[in-house]
Amino acid sequence: MSHATMNSTPTSQNGMTLEPTPELLEELAEASARLETATPEEIIAWGAERFGSGLTMATAFGPEGCLILSILSRVAPETYVFNLDTGYQFQATLDLRDRIAEKYGLEVEMLRPELSVPEYEAAHDGPLYVSNPNQCCFDRKIKVLHRGLAGRTAWMSGIRRDQSADRAQAAIVGWDKKFNLVKISPLANSTKQEVWGRIVKEEVPYNPMHDQGYPSIGCWPCTRAVIDGETDERAGRWSGTGKTECGLHSIDQQEGSGI
Ligand code: SF4
């Protein structure tokens, strides 16, 4: 299993913080533009080299996350990786942690909210995913993400620009104003077909629910299978509520984009 300390630069050691100075934003914009034509491996290697042990990754075990984990196992296996374990994840999602660990030797830490699901629902007279899903996501994802990112200088996500209109402007590298650190999206310019092509070819473990009509999988109360004719792969997330994101990936809160 991994998680030892990596080589680090003076501005990327775990426990240090970065400030979005003009110089840093310029560096990120230049890197993002340069990495537009790079492979995911090259982007991840750049992130590991630049930020060392300050680099982390949050994964929900989606196909993109699983592909990145397979690359991390070769390129930067000591990277700290965590999952936001809301208590509402599908069992098939939780099982992926073990399958990834078995295949790649990568340990994903499961970070949980302060209150268990029964405690949380008791405190709010029922499940907030029904009455106030934004608050539920804030309490059970965003707060936990802050904990996982504490002391880090860069985080990686598996978002792709072709996932949704919200994500179409995602930079390869940029400053995440919401969480106050660098955000790296090694698959931003990869297509769904490219990601799945690699997963199949390289036999990367993935959630079997993807073969059962669930292109995008989150918490079970807020995820349904897509219906015939639905082309938006995130159509089954928070369906019918008007909500499209849990708040982790606020593209309008990103600076330093090279696009
Ligand atoms: Fe709660 Fe649904 Fe958000 Fe999960 S996705 S944290 S269940 S509102």
Side-chain angles (χ1 to χ4, degrees):
M1 297 292 178
S2 58
H3 294 180
T5 303
M6 287 189 70
N7 292 337
S8 56
T9 65
T11 54
S12 65
Q13 291 172 352
N14 193 4
M16 296 185 72
T17 56
L18 284 180
E19 294 297 327
T21 60
E23 293 75 22
L24 179 65
L25 295 181
E26 189 178 339
E27 178 199 341
L28 298 180
E30 284 175 2
S32 195
R34 193 173 66 249
L35 292 169
E36 275 293 325
T37 54
T39 64
E41 276 84 347
E42 289 167 337
I43 296 169
I44 293 169
W46 175 84
E49 170 74 20
R50 174 62 180 84
F51 300 104
S53 61
L55 178 66
T56 186
M57 178 188 175
T59 183
F61 297 111
E64 295 79 16
C66 292
L67 178 58
I68 291 176
L69 288 172
S70 76
I71 298 170
L72 269 181
S73 72
R74 297 189 300 274
V75 174
E78 305 303 324
T79 304
Y80 172 64
V81 184
F82 61 94
N83 167 264
L84 305 176
D85 190 7
T86 62
Y88 292 116
Q89 295 189 103
F90 289 95
Q91 186 59 46
T93 305
L94 299 174
D95 291 345
L96 259 178
R97 177 187 186 278
D98 297 334
R99 294 169 59 205
I100 295 281
E102 192 177 330
K103 175 141 187 170
Y104 301 115
L106 279 179
E107 182 186 358
V108 177
E109 184 164 2
M110 309 300 275
L111 292 187
R112 301 189 173 93
E114 277 179 30
L115 298 182
S116 68
V117 164
E119 290 169 340
Y120 188 66
E121 294 187 355
H124 293 92
D125 297 323
L128 273 193
Y129 58 74
V130 174
S131 57
N132 192 345
N134 284 334
Q135 186 66 46
C136 186
C137 277
F138 182 77
D139 291 338
R140 305 197 74 77
K141 288 187 176 179
I142 305 293
K143 281 185 180 176
V144 182
L145 181 66
H146 275 290
R147 203 177 344 127
L149 298 181
R152 305 284 167 175
T153 48
W155 72 302
M156 264 188 301
S157 87
I159 61 174
R160 301 188 333 264
R161 289 179 190 143
D162 69 352
Q163 276 174 317
S164 68
D166 287 343
R167 298 182 176 189
Q169 294 302 310
I172 301 285
V173 181
W175 181 256
D176 187 333
K177 289 194 279 188
K178 183 167 187 178
F179 295 104
N180 221 29
L181 77 174
V182 175
K183 185 171 185 178
I184 303 171
S185 299
L187 301 178
N189 61 1
S190 296
T191 65
K192 178 180 179 180
Q193 287 72 23
E194 286 169 340
V195 168
W196 276 104
R198 288 196 59 172
I199 287 173
V200 171
K201 186 176 175 197
E202 298 169 27
E203 299 184 343
V204 176
Y206 67 90
N207 194 323
M209 292 176 63
H210 293 307
D211 295 330
Q212 298 157 13
Y214 292 82
S216 178
I217 301 168
C219 297
W220 62 260
C222 305
T223 303
R224 65 157 170 79
V226 294
I227 302 164
D228 277 352
E230 278 182 332
T231 53
D232 180 354
E233 65 183 89
R234 290 176 63 80
R237 304 289 298 278
W238 303 284
S239 176
T241 69
K243 180 174 165 69
T244 58
E245 295 277 355
C246 52
L248 270 60
H249 303 299
S250 303
I251 304 305
D252 61 341
Q253 290 287 299
Q254 196 169 37
E255 272 186 13
S257 167
I259 60 174

